[in-house]
Amino acid sequence: MPSAPPAYPGWVARWTGEWLPGSGDGIGTDPEREQRWRGQGFGLPENGVGSVGSGGARLVGFLLDLAIAGLVTSLFMPIDLQNPAAMQSYNLWAGLVWAVLSAVPVSFFGFTPGMAAVGVRVARLDGASMVGVWRAVVRAVLSFLIIPAAIRNIDGRSWADRVTGTVVIRMR
């Protein structure tokens, strides 16, 4: 005899499945499928090299990248705190330097200078060795918006990770 259909549409279960345990996604209801650590569903280890990077490491890496972008910009533009127009121009250039610093190294190497300093990198879930330009650019744009990069699911993946099919993992 077929089982009764769920009391809610299937897309609701898929959408809330990442956020609400026991919402019809199977996680939390079947002891064999219960997720015990971030990244377990992707076959990532619980800790050590290759495990999902922590939110703290991601934040510190982001802040280091912002500081590096500011320092690089200050090599080419003077900082004049008394001149709002000059500071607006400085901030625009620092933002552009950050965007390049966030997209170019990630597309080829999988990490920014700040990420390398804290020991995390971006990896593709399909196993490809390079993140690629379009994924790196989308990640940089979503990181610029802050909120999509800050909200994470049970696997520790941000919206930027889910849109691009990536995950931030530990290098050491």
Side-chain angles (χ1 to χ4, degrees):
M1 182 170 183
S3 63
Y8 45 83
W11 64 268
V12 172
R14 287 190 300 272
W15 183 78
T16 60
E18 297 182 332
W19 301 94
L20 301 174
S23 60
D25 62 353
I27 296 174
T29 56
D30 182 5
E32 291 184 19
R33 285 197 61 214
E34 186 174 325
Q35 186 161 341
R36 294 185 180 95
W37 64 83
R38 295 178 306 147
Q40 180 182 10
F42 300 115
L44 300 177
E46 185 173 0
N47 48 37
V49 176
S51 64
V52 175
S54 71
R58 292 173 73 144
L59 176 62
V60 171
F62 175 72
L63 294 175
L64 285 172
D65 288 334
L66 288 176
I68 292 168
L71 291 172
V72 169
T73 304
S74 68
L75 293 174
F76 302 102
M77 294 190 71
I79 298 175
D80 184 5
L81 298 176
Q82 302 303 319
N83 185 348
M87 289 311 296
Q88 185 176 14
S89 178
Y90 175 86
N91 289 336
L92 175 66
W93 282 105
L96 290 174
V97 169
W98 173 82
V100 170
L101 197 68
S102 293
V104 174
V106 168
S107 65
F108 295 108
F109 307 114
F111 53 85
T112 65
M115 293 172 89
V118 296
V120 295
R121 71 179 299 271
V122 179
R124 285 179 48 173
L125 289 176
D126 63 6
S129 60
M130 287 180 36
V131 173
V133 175
W134 82 266
R135 284 180 173 85
V137 169
V138 169
R139 288 180 58 82
V141 168
L142 292 175
S143 293
F144 175 78
L145 298 174
I146 303 287
I147 298 299
I151 298 174
R152 292 174 296 176
N153 66 2
I154 193 168
D155 283 314
R157 295 175 66 219
S158 69
W159 289 354
D161 293 322
R162 288 177 279 159
V163 167
T164 59
T166 60
V167 63
V168 175
I169 60 171
R170 294 176 57 188
M171 292 192 296
R172 52 181 180 236

